[in-house]
Short mmCIF file of all heavy atoms in Angstrom, two decimals:
data_model
loop_
_atom_site.label_atom_id
_atom_site.label_comp_id
_atom_site.label_asym_id
_atom_site.label_seq_id
_atom_site.Cartn_x
_atom_site.Cartn_y
_atom_site.Cartn_z
N ALA A 1 2.41 -27.20 -13.44
CA ALA A 1 3.73 -26.84 -12.99
C ALA A 1 4.02 -25.33 -13.10
O ALA A 1 4.71 -24.76 -12.29
CB ALA A 1 4.82 -27.53 -13.85
N ILE A 2 3.33 -24.69 -14.05
CA ILE A 2 3.50 -23.19 -14.16
C ILE A 2 2.71 -22.38 -13.22
O ILE A 2 3.19 -21.38 -12.70
CB ILE A 2 3.04 -22.82 -15.64
CG1 ILE A 2 4.07 -23.33 -16.67
CG2 ILE A 2 2.91 -21.29 -15.78
CD1 ILE A 2 3.58 -23.21 -18.07
N ILE A 3 1.49 -22.87 -12.84
CA ILE A 3 0.62 -22.12 -11.95
C ILE A 3 1.25 -21.68 -10.66
O ILE A 3 1.18 -20.45 -10.42
CB ILE A 3 -0.67 -22.98 -11.68
CG1 ILE A 3 -1.53 -23.00 -12.95
CG2 ILE A 3 -1.44 -22.29 -10.54
CD1 ILE A 3 -2.78 -23.89 -12.83
N PRO A 4 1.92 -22.55 -9.89
CA PRO A 4 2.53 -22.06 -8.59
C PRO A 4 3.53 -20.96 -8.76
O PRO A 4 3.59 -20.02 -8.05
CB PRO A 4 3.12 -23.38 -8.00
CG PRO A 4 2.44 -24.49 -8.70
CD PRO A 4 2.14 -23.99 -10.01
N ILE A 5 4.40 -21.15 -9.72
CA ILE A 5 5.53 -20.16 -9.94
C ILE A 5 4.97 -18.83 -10.49
O ILE A 5 5.46 -17.79 -10.08
CB ILE A 5 6.57 -20.74 -10.90
CG1 ILE A 5 7.89 -20.09 -10.61
CG2 ILE A 5 6.18 -20.66 -12.37
CD1 ILE A 5 8.50 -20.34 -9.23
N VAL A 6 3.92 -18.89 -11.32
CA VAL A 6 3.28 -17.69 -11.79
C VAL A 6 2.63 -16.83 -10.66
O VAL A 6 2.78 -15.61 -10.57
CB VAL A 6 2.28 -17.96 -12.93
CG1 VAL A 6 1.48 -16.69 -13.27
CG2 VAL A 6 3.00 -18.49 -14.20
N ILE A 7 1.90 -17.57 -9.90
CA ILE A 7 1.28 -16.99 -8.69
C ILE A 7 2.29 -16.32 -7.79
O ILE A 7 2.18 -15.17 -7.24
CB ILE A 7 0.35 -17.88 -7.91
CG1 ILE A 7 -0.81 -18.39 -8.77
CG2 ILE A 7 -0.13 -17.39 -6.60
CD1 ILE A 7 -1.61 -19.51 -8.18
N PHE A 8 3.39 -17.16 -7.51
CA PHE A 8 4.46 -16.62 -6.59
C PHE A 8 5.09 -15.37 -7.21
O PHE A 8 5.35 -14.44 -6.48
CB PHE A 8 5.50 -17.73 -6.40
CG PHE A 8 6.62 -17.37 -5.59
CD1 PHE A 8 6.52 -17.35 -4.23
CD2 PHE A 8 7.85 -16.97 -6.19
CE1 PHE A 8 7.65 -16.93 -3.45
CE2 PHE A 8 9.00 -16.68 -5.35
CZ PHE A 8 8.80 -16.63 -4.03
N TYR A 9 5.35 -15.39 -8.48
CA TYR A 9 5.97 -14.23 -9.14
C TYR A 9 5.02 -12.98 -9.12
O TYR A 9 5.55 -11.94 -8.84
CB TYR A 9 6.35 -14.63 -10.60
CG TYR A 9 6.99 -13.44 -11.24
CD1 TYR A 9 8.31 -13.14 -11.07
CD2 TYR A 9 6.25 -12.69 -12.16
CE1 TYR A 9 8.89 -12.06 -11.78
CE2 TYR A 9 6.80 -11.60 -12.89
CZ TYR A 9 8.06 -11.29 -12.66
OH TYR A 9 8.58 -10.24 -13.31
N LEU A 10 3.81 -13.17 -9.39
CA LEU A 10 2.92 -12.09 -9.51
C LEU A 10 2.78 -11.48 -8.04
O LEU A 10 2.57 -10.21 -7.96
CB LEU A 10 1.47 -12.51 -9.89
CG LEU A 10 1.40 -12.89 -11.33
CD1 LEU A 10 0.03 -13.47 -11.76
CD2 LEU A 10 1.82 -11.80 -12.27
N ILE A 11 2.79 -12.22 -6.99
CA ILE A 11 2.68 -11.71 -5.68
C ILE A 11 3.91 -10.91 -5.28
O ILE A 11 3.89 -9.86 -4.58
CB ILE A 11 2.48 -12.80 -4.64
CG1 ILE A 11 1.04 -13.46 -4.91
CG2 ILE A 11 2.51 -12.28 -3.24
CD1 ILE A 11 0.74 -14.69 -4.04
N CYS A 12 5.13 -11.41 -5.77
CA CYS A 12 6.39 -10.83 -5.21
C CYS A 12 7.11 -10.01 -6.27
O CYS A 12 8.30 -9.54 -5.95
CB CYS A 12 7.27 -12.00 -4.81
SG CYS A 12 6.54 -13.03 -3.59
N GLN A 13 6.52 -9.74 -7.41
CA GLN A 13 7.32 -9.03 -8.57
C GLN A 13 7.76 -7.67 -8.14
O GLN A 13 8.77 -7.24 -8.54
CB GLN A 13 6.44 -9.03 -9.79
CG GLN A 13 5.17 -8.18 -9.67
CD GLN A 13 4.52 -8.08 -11.01
OE1 GLN A 13 5.09 -8.11 -12.07
NE2 GLN A 13 3.21 -7.88 -10.99
N LYS A 14 6.96 -7.01 -7.31
CA LYS A 14 7.37 -5.57 -6.93
C LYS A 14 8.68 -5.62 -6.09
O LYS A 14 9.43 -4.65 -6.14
CB LYS A 14 6.19 -4.89 -6.16
CG LYS A 14 5.98 -5.56 -4.79
CD LYS A 14 4.91 -4.73 -4.04
CE LYS A 14 4.62 -5.27 -2.67
NZ LYS A 14 3.59 -4.50 -1.96
N TYR A 15 8.93 -6.63 -5.40
CA TYR A 15 10.11 -6.77 -4.59
C TYR A 15 11.34 -6.90 -5.42
O TYR A 15 12.44 -6.44 -5.08
CB TYR A 15 10.06 -7.83 -3.58
CG TYR A 15 8.94 -7.65 -2.57
CD1 TYR A 15 7.78 -8.38 -2.55
CD2 TYR A 15 9.13 -6.76 -1.50
CE1 TYR A 15 6.77 -8.26 -1.64
CE2 TYR A 15 8.12 -6.55 -0.51
CZ TYR A 15 6.96 -7.27 -0.62
OH TYR A 15 5.99 -7.11 0.33
N ILE A 16 11.22 -7.47 -6.67
CA ILE A 16 12.33 -7.67 -7.51
C ILE A 16 12.85 -6.22 -8.03
O ILE A 16 14.03 -5.99 -7.94
CB ILE A 16 11.95 -8.45 -8.77
CG1 ILE A 16 11.56 -9.94 -8.33
CG2 ILE A 16 13.10 -8.46 -9.79
CD1 ILE A 16 11.20 -10.80 -9.48
N ILE A 17 11.88 -5.43 -8.44
CA ILE A 17 12.25 -4.11 -8.89
C ILE A 17 12.80 -3.25 -7.69
O ILE A 17 13.88 -2.65 -7.87
CB ILE A 17 11.03 -3.42 -9.45
CG1 ILE A 17 10.45 -4.21 -10.65
CG2 ILE A 17 11.32 -1.98 -9.86
CD1 ILE A 17 9.17 -3.67 -11.22
N GLU A 18 12.21 -3.31 -6.56
CA GLU A 18 12.71 -2.51 -5.44
C GLU A 18 14.08 -2.98 -5.06
O GLU A 18 14.95 -2.15 -4.76
CB GLU A 18 11.74 -2.70 -4.25
CG GLU A 18 10.43 -2.10 -4.43
CD GLU A 18 9.46 -2.29 -3.28
OE1 GLU A 18 9.92 -2.94 -2.30
OE2 GLU A 18 8.34 -1.82 -3.33
N GLY A 19 14.31 -4.20 -4.95
CA GLY A 19 15.67 -4.76 -4.47
C GLY A 19 16.74 -4.53 -5.48
O GLY A 19 17.83 -4.10 -5.08
N VAL A 20 16.49 -4.74 -6.76
CA VAL A 20 17.49 -4.52 -7.75
C VAL A 20 17.86 -3.12 -7.91
O VAL A 20 18.99 -2.67 -7.99
CB VAL A 20 17.07 -5.15 -9.15
CG1 VAL A 20 18.06 -4.75 -10.25
CG2 VAL A 20 16.94 -6.64 -9.04
N VAL A 21 16.85 -2.18 -7.93
CA VAL A 21 17.03 -0.77 -8.04
C VAL A 21 17.84 -0.26 -6.81
O VAL A 21 18.75 0.55 -7.00
CB VAL A 21 15.69 0.00 -8.24
CG1 VAL A 21 15.97 1.54 -8.15
CG2 VAL A 21 15.11 -0.34 -9.58
N ALA A 22 17.43 -0.69 -5.61
CA ALA A 22 18.08 -0.28 -4.44
C ALA A 22 19.56 -0.69 -4.42
O ALA A 22 20.50 0.11 -4.07
CB ALA A 22 17.43 -0.79 -3.16
N GLY A 23 19.88 -1.94 -4.89
CA GLY A 23 21.22 -2.36 -4.85
C GLY A 23 22.10 -1.71 -5.91
O GLY A 23 23.25 -1.48 -5.75
N ALA A 24 21.43 -1.43 -7.08
CA ALA A 24 22.21 -0.85 -8.17
C ALA A 24 22.42 0.65 -7.99
O ALA A 24 23.52 1.14 -8.24
CB ALA A 24 21.42 -1.01 -9.49
#
């Protein structure tokens, strides 16, 4: 159950920082 969400997060983690910083 953890494997898909970990892979998804590792691929997309940079967008979290970019999006939150840009909005803030």
